[in-house]
Each structure stands twice: as structure tokens, then as C-alpha cells.
């Protein structure tokens, strides 16, 4: 992303902040894995969205005065030749400015002192922090720790949750974000097609994953957008399956729920196929129900439709398809075969943070249309998930480039088997 994207995001955020306020956002810290080993660092997505800076222990600070003027700066790690010898070169001020557009760059060692000076100056009434938690028992991040400290040391500062404001910005994708998502779709397609072409009875799930990872590795070092879900046979009935230990038996369906990312933007695509490349009558019957339901959703989604109606409509339509196929007796029993919803936003997160209070679908939103069918008695479980870009007139299936019909899937796999037989 160009620095103007990030600076524009910050300007929009500053416009939503109250006067006489301080904003502090943290890139995050490393999380210890074991002994002297850390998990790979993953930059806070809101921080990345606003700055483009992909580094640990950075801090974005902005101060808005009573006239609405804003001063911003970023605190970065200072040079440390010994540490950099071990863990790589740290971003220098010129690089930080080129990426983020921020010109006031300071070392993070002076942050605590400067925050104290701002807090006691009498010029500020509000302190904005990103205080989002998925659940109450999540570990404290730097923002949560600072909020606790501020309540004790600066009780006159009213704590505001910046996450609410940033969600509203991330809900509607900009043109450059959509372009990045299109590129991510191409990378994901390459990974899924690689798995389809390599698919054979007897393959282990970890071998499918290796095919996907190798294909993504040809496009850069970032890898999958999230832990890949790749399963075979009975393991398809675990919705979030990450073990990769199962082996595909002849006739098993392969389920995958995977995604790539490009320039910070992520996608989420699911496909299911028979490991031997030929759908049985029952597999085809169920798959066609899911495909018809998905196609119907892409025909009717448009601005103004209630977001809550996406899941509701998909379940009702799929129930009718399954009933017509003789699989389901009563449409109200659709929960027997549809175990989860399938309409979450995607973007800088695979389950993107958005402003759910909007309620209605708007042009520029991107979310998943995910139709899952799980028939345990038949041993068939899969999902068909695509990314939906809402346009002014309707919507577009960004994932249509990945084989999704029975004919497309069988043809892709047939070409893979033929290439394999010829010694590719």
C-alpha cells in the first residue's frame, strides 16, 4: 500500500476523535512460546492499517487540540547493532517516513516520559486506546495495561475505545484494498488448484497442505492468511480441523478452508472435491445443492439488503434445495446438515473487524458466502465458500476464478492426473 493510503486512514480516524484527546496505538510485542523462543511476531492489524509499519514495539501517538488540529508521531525501536545481528535490521526513520507518511519519528525509550507530560499538561480530556478483546479472559495487550495505569495515575482522562472508530473505517474497502484482494484470490486459486491436481487416494492431509504451502510460497514469504483447514473423510466433520494427520481413502471428499494474503489484505475460500477426481452420485447431489444456493446468493446480494439476512436466506434456500433432492424432509431441520453460518467480513483480518451497527449491506463491503453441508450418515462433508464484493448495482464473486462447479473441478483434477501419468 502507498503511504497515502495509511495517512488517509489516519486523517479519517482523527476526524472522528473528540477534541482535546490523545490517541495511542501499539504495534504489539512478541509472545513467548517456550524457554528462549518466541512465536513469530504478528503486527496488530489496526496499527498496520493506519501506518503500514510491520514491526514490534512501535507506538503511534496523535494529539488533537481544541481547534481540531492534530500532531502525530511514531515511536520506534532504536538502532541496536548487536540485536540486529541476531534478529535482522530494524526500520530506520527514513524508511518509517517513506512507508507511513509520518515525519515526526522518535525512539520508544522516551515514550513514557512524554506521555506523562501530555497527561498532566491539562490540555487533554480523552485518551483513545484500542481496547478490543475477543473474550474477557484474553491476555492483556499493551493498550489494556496502559488503560489500567491511566485510571490510577490520570483519572481525569476519560478512556475511549479507538477500536469502535477504526471498525467503521475498515468496513468499506477502498479501491487499492480491493485490488490487493484480487491478487490474494489469484494466489489462493493457485494453492487450491495445486491440491486438486495432486489429489490421489492415499494422500495424507499434510501432503495436501504441503502442496498449498508450496504454491503460496512462489508468491512471497507471507504464507497462508490463517491456519489452513485441510481434511479428508471423517475429519471433514470437525469444522476447524488443524491436525493434518488423516489419509484420504478412495471416494473420500477433501475439504479445505484456506486463504492467502497480499499487501496486507486477506481472503477466505473453501472448496470440496473427491480425492479420486470423480464425484459419486450422492456427492454430486449435495454439492449441486450447495452450488445452487451459492449462485442464488450472488444473484440477490446488493446494497440495502440486511447483513443478517445473508445467512438466513442461504439456510432457507439450501433447505429447499436439499428437500427437493430428497435429502431433507422438513426445511426447519436444516440444522441437521448446515452446522455454521457463513457470512463474515474479510480484509486486514480473515474475520475482519467491522461496524456491525450499520446493519445493511453497502457498496465496498467484502464478506464470505459460505455454504457448508455435512451429511454424517453418508460420510460426506464439505463447504463452498467464496468472497463477495458488494458493488453499486449488486455484487461480484471474487473467488469465481477458483474451480467451483462439478465440471470445473473434475476437469482440473483430470488434467492433474494426466500430467502426473506423463511424468510431470
Amino acid at each position: 500500500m502507498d503511504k497515502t493510503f495509511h495517512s488517509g486512514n489516519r486523517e479519517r480516524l482523527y476526524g472522528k476523535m473528540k477534541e482535546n484527546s490523545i490517541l495511542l496505538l501499539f504495534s504489539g510485542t512478541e509472545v513467548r512460546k517456550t524457554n528462549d523462543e518466541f512465536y513469530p511476531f504478528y503486527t496488530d492489524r489496526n496499527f498496520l492499517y493506519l501506518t503500514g509499519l510491520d514491526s514490534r514495539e512501535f507506538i503511534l501517538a496523535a494529539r488533537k487540540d481544541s481547534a481540531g488540529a492534530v500532531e502525530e508521531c511514531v515511536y520506534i525501536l532504536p538502532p541496536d547493532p548487536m540485536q540486529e545481528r541476531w534478529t535482522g535490521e530494524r526500520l530506520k526513520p527514513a524508511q518509517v517516513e517513506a512507508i507511513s507518511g509520518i515525519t515526526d519519528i522518535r525512539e520508544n525509550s522516551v515514550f513514557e516520559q512524554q506521555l506523562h507530560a501530555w497527561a498532566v499538561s491539562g490540555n487533554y480530556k480523552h485518551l483513545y486506546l484500542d481496547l478490543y478483546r475477543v473474550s474477557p479472559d484474553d491476555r492483556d495487550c499493551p493498550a489494556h495495561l496502559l488503560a489500567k495505569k491511566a485510571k490510577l495515575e490520570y483519572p481525569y482522562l476519560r478512556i475511549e475505545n479507538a477500536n469502535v472508530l477504526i471498525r467503521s473505517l475498515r468496513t468499506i474497502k477502498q479501491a487499492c484494498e480491493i485490488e490487493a484482494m484480487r491478487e490474494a484470490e489469484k494466489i489462493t486459486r493457485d494453492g487450491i488448484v495445486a491440491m486438486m491436481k495432486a489429489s490421489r487416494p492415499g494422500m495424507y492431509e499434510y501432503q495436501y497442505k504441503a502442496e498449498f504451502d508450496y504454491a503460496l510460497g512462489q508468491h512471497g514469504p507471507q504464507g497462508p492468511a490463517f491456519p489452513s483447514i485441510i481434511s479428508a473423510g471423517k475429519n471433514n466433520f470437525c469444522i476447524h480441523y488443524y491436525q493434518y494427520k488423516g489419509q484420504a481413502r478412495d471416494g473420500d471428499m477433501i475439504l479445505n478452508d484456506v486463504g492467502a494474503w497480499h499487501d496486507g489484505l486477506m481472503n477466505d475460500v473453501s472448496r470440496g472435491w473427491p480425492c479420486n477426481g470423480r464425484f459419486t452420485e450422492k456427492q454430486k447431489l449435495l454439492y449441486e445443492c450447495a452450488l445452487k444456493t451459492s449462485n442464488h446468493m450472488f444473484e440477490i446480494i446488493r446494497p440495502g439488503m440486511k447483513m443478517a439476512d445473508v445467512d438466513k436466506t442461504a439456510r432457507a434456500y439450501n433447505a429447499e434445495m436439499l428437500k427437493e433432492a430428497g435429502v431433507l424432509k422438513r426445511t426447519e431441520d436444516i440444522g441437521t446438515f448446515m452446522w455454521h453460518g457463513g457470512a463474515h467480513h474479510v480484509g486486514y483480518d480473515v474475520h475482519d473487524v467491522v461496524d456491525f451497527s450499520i446493519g445493511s449491506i453497502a457498496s465496498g463491503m467484502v464478506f464470505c458466502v459460505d455454504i457448508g453441508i455435512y451429511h454424517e450418515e453418508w460420510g460426506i462433508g464439505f463447504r463452498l465458500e467464496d468472497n463477495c464484493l458488494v458493488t453499486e448495482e449488486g455484487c461480484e464473486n471474487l473467488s469465481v476464478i477458483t474451480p467451483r462447479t462439478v465440471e470445473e473441478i473434475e476437469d482440473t483434477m483430470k488434467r492433474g492426473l494426466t500430467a502426473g501419468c506423463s511424468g510431470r
Side-chain angles (χ1 to χ4, degrees):
M1 292 294 170
D2 186 86
K3 66 180 180 182
T4 57
F5 169 76
H6 304 295
S7 60
N9 292 340
R10 295 195 303 275
E11 287 299 321
R12 291 189 296 144
L13 174 60
Y14 300 154
K16 293 177 177 291
M17 290 165 46
K18 297 175 182 178
E19 295 175 352
N20 304 112
S21 62
I22 301 171
L23 167 74
L24 299 172
L25 292 177
F26 299 85
S27 69
T29 58
E30 291 179 307
V31 177
R32 189 174 298 279
K33 183 177 182 180
T34 182
N35 195 17
D36 60 349
E37 181 183 358
F38 291 86
Y39 287 102
F41 175 70
Y42 191 70
T43 301
D44 177 85
R45 308 320 282 175
N46 282 338
F47 184 90
L48 187 65
Y49 178 77
L50 293 167
T51 68
L53 301 172
D54 190 3
S55 295
R56 64 183 177 88
E57 297 179 46
F58 278 24
I59 306 166
L60 171 65
R63 292 167 291 143
K64 185 173 183 179
D65 65 21
S66 58
V70 176
E71 294 184 30
E72 62 177 6
C73 63
V74 63
Y75 295 87
I76 69 173
L77 289 170
D80 188 326
M82 183 58 69
Q83 283 296 320
E84 292 179 62
R85 179 180 296 173
W86 285 96
T87 57
E89 182 181 1
R90 293 177 175 179
L91 286 175
K92 303 300 188 290
Q95 295 170 306
V96 170
E97 181 178 349
I99 294 169
S100 67
I102 298 172
T103 58
D104 188 350
I105 301 162
R106 312 175 185 184
E107 293 186 358
N108 61 8
S109 59
V110 301
F111 168 70
E112 292 286 347
Q113 179 182 354
Q114 294 187 345
L115 172 60
H116 178 73
W118 295 337
V120 300
S121 68
N123 295 328
Y124 303 102
K125 300 177 181 179
H126 308 275
L127 175 59
Y128 283 90
L129 300 167
D130 186 348
L131 299 175
Y132 178 69
R133 292 181 188 268
V134 176
S135 64
D137 58 350
D138 281 354
R139 67 182 179 88
D140 283 335
C141 293
H144 301 112
L145 296 173
L146 180 56
K148 292 177 181 179
K149 178 181 178 180
K151 287 179 181 178
L152 293 175
E153 299 183 12
Y154 316 119
Y156 42 84
L157 289 179
R158 180 174 177 177
I159 305 297
E160 308 279 357
N161 190 357
N163 186 272
V164 176
L165 304 183
I166 301 171
R167 280 172 175 268
S168 66
L169 302 182
R170 288 175 57 177
T171 301
I172 305 298
K173 282 16 180 208
Q174 299 170 56
C176 57
E177 293 179 274
I178 294 170
E179 182 57 33
M181 297 185 82
R182 291 188 190 279
E183 292 301 314
E185 293 287 351
K186 296 175 185 177
I187 300 170
T188 303
R189 172 202 59 197
D190 289 353
I192 293 176
V193 166
M195 289 191 287
M196 287 181 177
K197 288 185 174 182
S199 186
R200 308 283 193 284
M203 274 186 70
Y204 284 91
E205 293 159 347
Y206 60 78
Q207 292 176 306
Y208 284 98
K209 182 177 182 295
E211 293 286 342
F212 182 75
D213 291 345
Y214 179 81
L216 264 61
Q218 308 314 302
H219 296 275
Q222 64 275 357
F226 55 93
S228 300
I229 299 169
I230 301 172
S231 58
K234 65 179 181 180
N235 294 332
N236 296 352
F237 299 105
C238 177
I239 295 172
H240 281 182
Y241 174 85
Y242 304 114
Q243 296 184 33
Y244 317 120
K245 295 179 181 179
Q247 186 177 26
R249 300 172 302 174
D250 192 18
D252 277 352
M253 286 286 284
I254 305 301
L255 180 153
N256 70 90
D257 188 335
V258 296
W261 53 326
H262 177 79
D263 212 358
L265 277 297
M266 304 179 179
N267 66 1
D268 187 0
V269 181
S270 297
R271 294 292 186 265
W273 64 82
C275 69
N276 60 17
R278 300 180 303 277
F279 282 82
T280 66
E281 288 302 314
K282 287 183 177 179
Q283 288 170 345
K284 185 176 181 179
L285 180 71
L286 297 181
Y287 193 89
E288 290 289 356
C289 288
L291 181 62
K292 290 176 183 177
T293 301
S294 180
N295 289 342
H296 173 70
M297 297 307 300
F298 279 100
E299 290 173 357
I300 66 170
I301 290 173
R302 63 189 70 259
M305 182 180 183
K306 297 295 184 184
M307 191 68 203
D309 287 343
V310 176
D311 270 338
K312 185 188 301 183
T313 304
R315 290 177 71 85
Y317 194 90
N318 199 30
E320 289 294 338
M321 294 297 98
L322 290 170
K323 185 178 179 182
E324 287 181 15
V327 178
L328 188 65
K329 292 183 178 179
R330 304 188 310 162
T331 56
E332 55 264 38
D333 294 332
I334 184 60
T336 304
F337 302 117
M338 290 188 77
W339 294 356
H340 55 76
H344 64 80
H345 291 255
V346 289
Y348 265 76
D349 281 294
V350 69
H351 288 184
D352 212 23
V353 294
V354 298
D355 183 1
F356 290 108
S357 68
I358 295 176
S360 296
I361 292 170
S363 178
M365 288 184 176
V366 183
F367 55 83
C368 292
V369 173
D370 185 0
I371 312 300
I373 297 179
Y374 305 90
H375 199 308
E376 289 186 282
E377 183 180 346
W378 290 358
I380 302 172
F382 64 91
R383 45 189 178 265
L384 175 61
E385 181 178 18
D386 292 284
N387 302 148
C388 175
L389 165 64
V390 182
T391 63
E392 292 184 2
E393 301 297 329
C395 67
E396 176 188 348
N397 184 349
L398 296 177
S399 315
V400 74
I401 61 175
T402 300
R404 64 193 298 270
T405 69
V406 169
E407 294 75 16
E408 289 171 344
I409 291 170
E410 288 188 340
D411 181 61
T412 299
M413 298 183 71
K414 182 178 180 181
R415 285 186 280 117
L417 287 168
T418 302
C421 292
S422 64
R424 176 178 57 89

